[in-house]
Amino acid sequence: MNTTNHYDVNGKPYHRGLMLALSLFATFAAALMQTSLGTALPRLMTVFDINLSTAQQATTWFILASAIMVPISSFLIKKFSVNQLSIMAYICLALGVAISAFTPAQHDMWLLFVFGRIIAALAVGVMMPLLQIIIVNIYDAQERGTAMGLMGLVVGMAPALGPTLTGWILDQNHVIFGLTISNSWRTIFYLPLAVIVIAVVLSPFLIKDVIKKEDVSLDWLSLVLSSVGFGLFLLGFTNVSSDGWGDLATVVSPIMGGVLLIGLLVWRQLRLEDPFLDVRVFKSKRFTLTTLAMVLSTMAMMGVEMMLPTYLQNVHGLSALDSGLTLLPGALLMGLFSPIAGKLYEKAGIQRLTIAGFSILAIGTIPFAFIDISTTTLTIVVMYALRMIGIALVLMPLTTEAMAALPIEKATDGTAVNNTARQVASSVGTAILTSITQNVINQNEPAKHLKTLNPLKYADQYLNASMDGFRVAFIVGLGFAICGLILAFWLKSHSQRVTDGEGAA
């Protein structure tokens, strides 16, 4: 890709390769914050003297805050210049990470720690769509696949690396190039903070205004409906793993209330001349089909990705670090294949690539439907790595295809809708597989009195019940992949659209 002789909206030359590199650099550090605390919860419980449910607030509120910001990103990207919004997002992220990193380790300071996580999450919710819209605007359709493949490093690889990196940090002190990396929980935040500070310093020089600002006004009612609606909806699905589907107060009510408010949001957007979130992008069949396929790939990825560490720790008895290391090869291969997928998208087209990707994903998931206690860790490493190759071949190419389905002036709205769909799919997929696992375990677990009468028999039967739960959950994950494969046959590559008389978007 040619990275010189490009001009921003003010007619000033800029180096788009350096601009993309800095945006990827900063967003990668932000994405690490999404999953990095999962492995650190036991340490945080000790230093802050809190229980598990309280510690999980750090993750729950991060997910909710970042998800709420994604729909709002469309308005922000139109209202502010790319340079302004990037700098604001980076400073917000640095502030949030710093608050959590330097929070005194005292029980009564825990809320300050969570507040820092929320501030960081607000930035993350904007940075992901912003990176996507930058790519759409600085690369044309022929080059966009490769650039979006690089974005796949951020979307897929960084969250997968988060738990492993945290486990490595907490395991012991490390010496790299003569520098000692402390195993303090604060180090989890120091490393991304250093990256973000560098991004803040370089942004005024490398991040240029590649999108014209629009004179848009904020529809406050839409903002409230979006924030509260998506917040309640995702909160309900987040609570499923701990409270089950039947809990009226924490699961059913939030989900139903969220659906109602989101419905009102959609109704209002269709009646606004300048909508807060333009859902009319779904009028494009091509955009709708590719977004739905992307949702299925996200559910297949995140659902199994969140279940495997639990399986490895509960069944195989691995530590948090070892379970993270087991999944590391898959994360690395996804990072390796994401740019390759971008090149393949440009050459082979979306249909053939998506069929191949979902087929590989399904083949890699089938063995998980038959796992038992004797399944080796090596088998899991190989099959998980195969799954992640399949994910890499479909996730960002589908996103690229969805953006190509819309005219450039609708790219901002399409990006916000696409990223919102990905956030919702991630939460829903995880909730479905987690709840299925727990329900199967509850139905098959041995009687409580057996725990006292024959502890060994109880442990053996409970382990078998757990295996049944994991197997059923993985079968559902396989179902997501098969549905995606079926849908792939409905997608059309550029040459097919031209043949059918549809032309290019």
Side-chain angles (χ1 to χ4, degrees):
M1 292 181 292
N2 180 25
T3 56
T4 57
N5 301 322
H6 296 280
Y7 300 88
D8 63 16
V9 295
N10 300 311
K12 297 179 180 179
Y14 71 98
H15 197 295
R16 66 176 183 175
L18 292 177
M19 180 174 174
L20 176 62
L22 181 59
S23 300
L24 288 168
F25 187 61
T27 311
F28 190 90
L32 282 174
M33 290 289 92
Q34 290 180 299
T35 57
S36 58
L37 281 196
T39 315
L41 290 184
R43 182 75 63 88
L44 294 176
M45 290 167 60
T46 300
V47 298
F48 283 98
D49 189 24
I50 53 178
N51 58 30
L52 179 59
S53 61
T54 302
Q56 286 176 332
Q57 293 173 355
T59 299
T60 300
W61 285 106
F62 187 97
I63 294 172
L64 293 177
S66 61
I68 287 171
M69 285 302 296
V70 173
I72 301 173
S73 65
S74 175
F75 167 80
L76 296 175
I77 292 172
K78 294 176 184 176
K79 186 70 174 178
F80 299 96
S81 70
V82 173
N83 182 270
Q84 290 173 335
L85 189 56
S86 296
I87 293 175
M88 287 190 294
Y90 298 165
I91 291 176
C92 181
L93 178 61
L95 177 62
V97 173
I99 289 174
S100 295
F102 297 108
T103 297
Q106 302 170 13
H107 178 75
D108 56 355
M109 300 301 290
W110 173 248
L111 290 181
L112 179 62
F113 180 92
V114 174
F115 176 72
R117 291 283 290 169
I118 293 174
I119 296 298
L122 296 178
V124 173
V126 173
M127 288 170 67
M128 287 287 191
L130 182 59
L131 172 60
Q132 186 170 317
I133 199 64
I134 286 174
I135 291 174
V136 169
N137 279 270
I138 67 177
Y139 291 99
D140 57 34
Q142 288 70 35
E143 299 174 305
R144 201 175 293 156
T146 301
M148 292 294 284
L150 293 173
M151 184 179 171
L153 291 168
V154 173
V155 174
M157 188 176 174
L161 284 177
T164 304
L165 178 62
T166 299
W168 176 79
I169 290 173
L170 297 179
D171 185 49
Q172 60 183 346
N173 290 340
H174 303 275
V175 179
I176 301 179
F177 300 122
L179 297 175
T180 300
I181 307 297
S182 170
N183 69 338
S184 167
W185 61 272
R186 299 184 189 276
T187 306
I188 300 169
F189 300 96
Y190 291 158
L191 297 179
L193 181 60
V195 171
I196 296 301
V197 169
I198 293 173
V200 171
V201 173
L202 294 179
S203 290
F205 306 100
L206 299 181
I207 303 296
K208 302 300 180 180
D209 298 332
V210 295
I211 308 170
K212 289 184 178 180
K213 291 196 296 183
E214 300 179 28
D215 185 19
V216 293
S217 58
L218 180 61
D219 181 57
W220 289 98
L221 179 56
S222 294
L223 174 63
V224 172
L225 290 173
S226 172
S227 301
V228 179
F230 283 106
L232 285 174
F233 184 78
L234 294 174
L235 177 63
F237 277 100
T238 301
N239 290 334
V240 167
S241 59
S242 58
D243 302 336
W245 287 100
D247 194 293
L248 181 63
T250 62
V251 176
V252 178
S253 295
I255 291 177
M256 296 303 295
V259 169
L260 175 62
L261 292 179
I262 292 171
L264 290 174
L265 173 68
V266 171
W267 178 82
R268 182 167 179 78
Q269 302 319 292
L270 293 175
R271 281 154 180 78
L272 289 176
E273 183 177 345
D274 187 14
F276 172 80
L277 183 65
D278 194 354
V279 295
R280 294 182 182 91
V281 292
F282 283 114
K283 288 184 177 180
S284 167
K285 179 181 178 182
R286 182 180 165 197
F287 176 85
T288 301
L289 287 177
T290 49
T291 300
L292 180 57
M294 182 272 296
V295 164
L296 290 169
S297 66
T298 301
M299 293 175 73
M301 177 181 73
M302 293 303 298
V304 174
E305 189 172 285
M306 296 300 290
M307 292 302 302
L308 269 178
T310 304
Y311 162 77
L312 290 168
Q313 293 176 44
N314 291 359
V315 176
H316 285 256
L318 299 184
S319 66
L321 174 59
D322 288 338
S323 65
L325 290 174
T326 301
L327 306 185
L328 182 59
L332 296 177
L333 281 173
M334 182 174 183
L336 174 65
F337 274 85
S338 289
I340 296 174
K343 288 289 187 182
L344 292 174
Y345 167 76
E346 294 168 2
K347 294 181 180 298
I350 190 62
Q351 187 188 64
R352 284 185 286 179
L353 184 60
T354 306
I355 290 173
F358 274 117
S359 296
I360 294 173
L361 176 59
I363 291 170
T365 308
I366 288 174
F368 286 106
F370 300 96
I371 58 173
D372 55 31
I373 300 171
S374 63
T375 302
T376 65
T377 303
L378 178 59
T379 300
I380 294 171
V381 169
V382 173
M383 291 300 102
Y384 180 74
L386 188 61
R387 292 186 83 256
M388 296 308 281
I389 291 174
I391 291 291
L393 292 179
V394 299
L395 188 58
M396 295 319 297
L398 284 169
T399 302
T400 307
E401 179 72 6
M403 293 301 99
L406 303 174
I408 194 68
E409 62 269 18
K410 289 295 181 183
T412 301
D413 295 296
T415 297
V417 170
N418 190 268
N419 279 273
T420 300
R422 185 185 297 122
Q423 284 276 6
V424 170
S426 177
S427 296
V428 172
T430 301
I432 290 175
L433 265 64
T434 302
S435 63
I436 287 174
T437 302
Q438 192 59 56
N439 286 339
V440 174
I441 291 174
N442 292 342
Q443 293 173 7
N444 295 280
E445 66 179 342
K448 297 296 183 182
H449 69 272
L450 188 61
K451 190 173 184 178
T452 303
L453 298 176
N454 193 336
L456 291 178
K457 186 176 181 180
Y458 176 87
D460 182 63
Q461 291 185 7
Y462 190 85
L463 186 59
N464 289 331
S466 298
M467 288 305 312
D468 291 338
F470 285 117
R471 278 192 290 266
V472 174
F474 292 142
I475 289 173
V476 175
L478 174 61
F480 293 149
I482 293 175
C483 289
L485 177 59
I486 295 172
L487 185 60
F489 287 94
W490 291 82
L491 304 178
K492 295 182 179 180
S493 298
H494 175 73
S495 59
Q496 292 173 300
R497 291 194 302 274
V498 172
T499 302
D500 294 344
E502 296 178 21

